[in-house]
Amino acid sequence: MLIQESRNRTGFLPGWLYDAAEMHHWDLRHYAQHFWHPLVATSALQPGETLAVMLLDHPILLTWPQRGEPRAFLNRCPHRGVAFQTVGTSGSPCRRLICPYHGWTYNLQGELQAAAREQDFLEPFHREDWSLSALLCRIDGPLIWVALGPDAIPLNEQLELIHRETAEIWREPLQQLRRTRRSLACNWKIAHDNTLDDYHVAIAHPTTLHREQGPVRDYVHRFSRFDNLLVTPHPSGGCFHTFGLPPWTHLLTWPDGRLALLEFLPESPDSTTMQLRLLAPKQTVTDSEAERWLKELITFLEEDRQLVESSQRSYASGFHPGPAHKLEQRILHWQAVYRELLPGPQASNDERSQAAIDAFGS
């Protein structure tokens, strides 16, 4: 596999890229802009509804016009920046958006319909000049995806392996059953690396995740330009899939059509929000089964918490990682994607220099 081999030559990222404050700013303002983010499940929003959410430090307003596809806008009125709605967990019926500050009124396509006392503005006023700031937005699978930057990679490239390997499950109408968020005392890259690390599962999770993934001898790895995959036989029959996607996303699929979506959202250089969402075909999983499923996943994720928070203490003290194992090739694959986007000399140089630090401010 040429993509895999070419990406595995550089070794692990230098340790200083995990704890520098400049990196946290760059990750949010540059790295995150290159990719699409799974904002909400489609089951959380219906035509004729709106939903306000936060993604990193971006307030976003999702709308779904009765005729058309979901739309995403910055949740702020162009007049004085006040949010149209407060953050929620599911959509609410809405015919138009009205700013609570000065009453500017918009349709669900983001077009200004009226502004209070329009004739009294001190400069010429044209409604078409004051549409809402739109973001790229698409439905793919059971999720609504949003891109924070105008030049994000094509979503079908970001999801190439999912479309190829689990298209039947991915196209099913799925219901979000559970969503939980927890804070980890580590940099997001440490948590992301760990979830791509197939070297540790049998050792660190012998009675939890290892039972789902099975013997190491049966591990099969696959790679595309941006995402990677571990395929293993599942004890109940069929295959268990563990996808790694940029920017910091993981998708687990079970043969019965269940999906778990895991993200590591940066909070600060040394803290991360772990967000877990569980989805399944409608009316196939009872409430008690969903609760048991969530508990099982949280159990192995708590095992990982101890590992990643311990690693954070080492990285913060100047640690540099050792040699890569063949079962860590999914880490190397993602890190090669990340490395290609880095500015300045640190893309090929492990040394922390002032020139490398300054590059993140450009």
Side-chain angles (χ1 to χ4, degrees), residues 16-175:
W16 73 270
L17 292 177
Y18 287 69
D19 75 312
E22 298 85 0
M23 284 306 306
H24 177 66
H25 176 82
W26 185 85
D27 287 343
L28 295 181
R29 298 295 176 223
H30 297 277
Y31 174 70
Q33 309 280 328
H34 285 275
F35 302 104
W36 292 75
H37 303 262
L39 201 58
V40 299
T42 54
S43 61
L45 188 70
Q46 302 298 318
E49 294 184 341
T50 60
L51 174 62
V53 297
M54 290 293 298
L55 174 59
L56 306 176
D57 56 355
H58 300 275
I60 296 175
L61 183 64
L62 287 173
T63 74
W64 198 333
Q66 287 286 0
R67 297 180 180 178
E69 295 294 316
R71 304 286 303 273
F73 306 97
L74 294 180
N75 186 13
R76 64 189 188 199
C77 180
H79 183 221
R80 298 299 297 274
V82 172
F84 288 93
Q85 296 178 0
T86 57
V87 172
T89 57
S90 60
S92 301
C94 181
R95 296 177 58 188
R96 58 184 181 273
L97 306 168
I98 302 175
C99 175
Y101 198 9
H102 295 104
W104 285 29
T105 302
Y106 288 81
N107 61 22
L108 299 192
Q109 287 81 14
E111 300 165 335
L112 180 61
Q113 301 295 286
R117 301 178 179 86
E118 289 185 23
Q119 68 278 8
D120 295 331
F121 283 102
L122 298 179
E123 298 177 0
F125 186 83
H126 305 286
R127 293 179 185 175
E128 60 270 21
D129 295 336
W130 298 100
S131 297
L132 299 184
S133 297
L135 301 170
L136 297 174
C137 182
R138 276 186 57 188
I139 291 178
D140 199 301
L143 302 163
I144 298 175
W145 299 76
V146 168
L148 295 175
D151 300 319
I153 67 169
L155 181 56
N156 64 324
E157 292 185 21
Q158 188 171 324
L159 304 179
E160 180 180 345
L161 281 180
I162 293 176
H163 292 165
R164 186 194 311 169
E165 302 288 339
T166 59
E168 185 174 344
I169 294 175
W170 191 244
R171 287 195 297 263
E172 285 292 313
L174 303 181
Q175 188 78 24

Side-chain angles (χ1 to χ4, degrees), residues 166-204:
T166 59
E168 185 174 344
I169 294 175
W170 191 244
R171 287 195 297 263
E172 285 292 313
L174 303 181
Q175 188 78 24
Q176 181 170 297
L177 303 179
R178 294 291 187 276
R179 174 180 175 269
T180 184
R181 293 166 67 94
R182 301 184 178 205
S183 186
L184 304 176
C186 69
N187 184 268
W188 71 269
K189 290 191 260 325
I190 293 176
H192 189 52
D193 283 352
N194 172 76
T195 311
L196 295 170
D197 185 350
D198 302 321
Y199 188 28
H200 85 291
V201 174
I203 299 167

Side-chain angles (χ1 to χ4, degrees), residues 315-326:
Y315 275 91
S317 66
F319 171 76
H320 184 82
H325 189 274
K326 69 177 183 179

Side-chain angles (χ1 to χ4, degrees), residues 287-305:
D287 192 64
S288 61
E289 289 171 337
E291 199 59 32
R292 184 168 61 251
W293 181 22
L294 176 63
K295 183 178 179 180
E296 291 171 354
L297 293 182
I298 290 297
T299 298
F300 94 77
L301 291 171
E302 284 298 316
E303 293 170 347
D304 274 335
R305 175 197 291 276

Side-chain angles (χ1 to χ4, degrees), residues 187-234:
N187 184 268
W188 71 269
K189 290 191 260 325
I190 293 176
H192 189 52
D193 283 352
N194 172 76
T195 311
L196 295 170
D197 185 350
D198 302 321
Y199 188 28
H200 85 291
V201 174
I203 299 167
H205 307 295
T207 63
T208 53
L209 183 60
H210 180 53
R211 290 184 174 178
E212 296 271 20
Q213 292 188 337
V216 173
R217 64 176 179 272
D218 294 330
Y219 283 14
V220 175
H221 290 104
R222 292 173 185 157
F223 301 85
S224 70
R225 174 70 177 83
F226 292 104
D227 43 339
N228 55 62
L229 169 64
L230 170 66
V231 184
T232 57
H234 195 267

